[in-house]
Amino acid sequence: KQWYQRRVRVANSIPASTRGTRILLNALVALGLLAKEGEYFTLTQVAATYLVQSSPNYVGDVRKWFCHDYFWTSMRNLPEFVKEGRFSSTSLANGDSENKSEPPPFHEMVEVYSRHTSYLTARVGVKMVEILGPWATRRKPFHVLSMGCGNGIVAFTMVHKIKSAELWVVDYPNVIQVAKEYAEQLNVTDKTTFIEGDLFTAPLTGLYDLIVLGRVFFQLSEEQAVFLLVRLSEFLTSNGRLVLHETISGINQDPQPHLFSIQALVWREQGEAYSLSYYQKLLTRAGYAPPTVWPVEGSEDTLLISSRNLIRAKTKSKLKPLM
């Protein structure tokens, strides 16, 4: 159903001033989100598809992520972070530069991101099912573990399609609450076990046919990443699959991974959008086979799919849990 109104009518329905509404609507025309015919404005196909809440492809809620205080409070101090080469909580200012304060905890930022970026993770989940679905359907039962699950949609998509699947998801307690909401929407709650904890110490038992890690490595050092991969290899069946979905730099000319690295710089003390060769090195060190590489159309992420090698790597890293 097409939206088609004069600016005065729009101003009265918001409500807002006629001048402010006129300026806003004309700006949206310039951006290609509205079309103008005389005094009337109508939605373009792009706006109707992605910015109308009733549309199945609606992505407007992502504004709640990009407008979040954590995002902008951190970016305000980018010059200092560039000089130091890392995140420094003591340098963050909230409001006036003389009033220093700590940013919201990282797990709160993860919750906001998970809640409002489901349109991105849905595409990753569909791609994973496309690649691994035929293999997964032959395994009964099919046990899946999702570490750093976020909203859970990537793993939920697989479990929804594979009838024999059972799922375990791990993330911060507040993020797990977001995953529970999406699990209920996708009708997979009864097939899912929710585990509150961090990547390094969350209690895991049994073996899994598929282990999924989503956007966790950008915040880890190389030694932490190897430690985590080795830990998870103990829970992966001998012919199981490991799936990483990450924003990877250098695969094409897309600038997004480099911009994502800027975000990592202002959020964490280490990490960035790493290259494909870096992930290949991590997997080799941790005792996994070379990964196959699957770009996800319409997403910033790339899927890396690997399996265990017969000869496992050993590590003596002593690491603290990621908090």
Side-chain angles (χ1 to χ4, degrees), residues 248-258:
I248 300 176
S249 65
I251 290 184
N252 51 41
Q253 299 303 311
D254 186 0
Q256 182 57 38
H258 302 287

Side-chain angles (χ1 to χ4, degrees), residues 65-66 70-71 74-75 78 81 87 106 109 113 215 218 256-268 271-272 300:
W65 160 241
F66 287 113
Y70 193 103
F71 193 96
S74 301
M75 284 296 183
L78 177 60
F81 294 150
F87 167 91
F106 183 70
M109 184 275 289
Y113 179 85
R215 288 201 171 191
F218 82 90
Q256 182 57 38
H258 302 287
L259 299 178
F260 188 79
S261 291
I262 293 290
Q263 296 176 32
L265 175 65
V266 302
W267 291 339
R268 308 298 284 171
E272 59 190 85
E300 303 165 358

Side-chain angles (χ1 to χ4, degrees), residues 191-233:
K191 303 175 70 175
T192 305
T193 299
F194 300 91
I195 304 172
E196 299 179 354
D198 65 71
L199 298 170
F200 297 108
T201 62
L204 302 176
T205 58
L207 293 175
Y208 303 93
D209 302 290
L210 176 65
I211 297 180
V212 182
L213 293 101
R215 288 201 171 191
V216 300
F217 291 99
F218 82 90
Q219 56 186 304
L220 305 180
S221 68
E222 181 175 339
E223 290 306 310
Q224 286 178 317
V226 171
F227 183 94
L228 176 61
L229 288 169
V230 170
R231 181 196 183 207
L232 293 179
S233 71

Side-chain angles (χ1 to χ4, degrees), residues 121 128 143-159 166-172 175-176 179 192-199 202-204 208-216 228 232 241-243 245:
T121 48
M128 186 171 69
H143 290 172
V144 182
L145 171 66
S146 179
M147 297 290 288
C149 67
N151 55 38
I153 290 178
V154 173
F156 293 156
T157 304
M158 175 66 81
V159 171
E166 298 177 40
L167 174 64
W168 288 256
V169 297
V170 177
D171 216 314
Y172 298 114
V175 181
I176 284 292
T192 305
T193 299
F194 300 91
I195 304 172
E196 299 179 354
D198 65 71
L199 298 170
L204 302 176
Y208 303 93
D209 302 290
L210 176 65
I211 297 180
V212 182
L213 293 101
R215 288 201 171 191
V216 300
L228 176 61
L232 293 179
R241 298 292 184 270
L242 174 77
V243 174
H245 61 93

Side-chain angles (χ1 to χ4, degrees), residues 18 25 32 37 60 163 170 179 245 265:
T18 302
L25 293 178
E37 299 177 19
K163 302 304 180 184
V170 177
H245 61 93
L265 175 65

Side-chain angles (χ1 to χ4, degrees), residues 73-74 76-78 80-81 84 86-94 97 100-103:
T73 301
S74 301
R76 189 182 302 133
N77 292 272
L78 177 60
E80 186 168 347
F81 294 150
E84 296 182 7
R86 65 184 182 88
F87 167 91
S88 174
S89 61
T90 57
S91 68
L92 288 176
N94 186 3
S97 59
K100 306 288 185 178
S101 65
E102 291 290 324

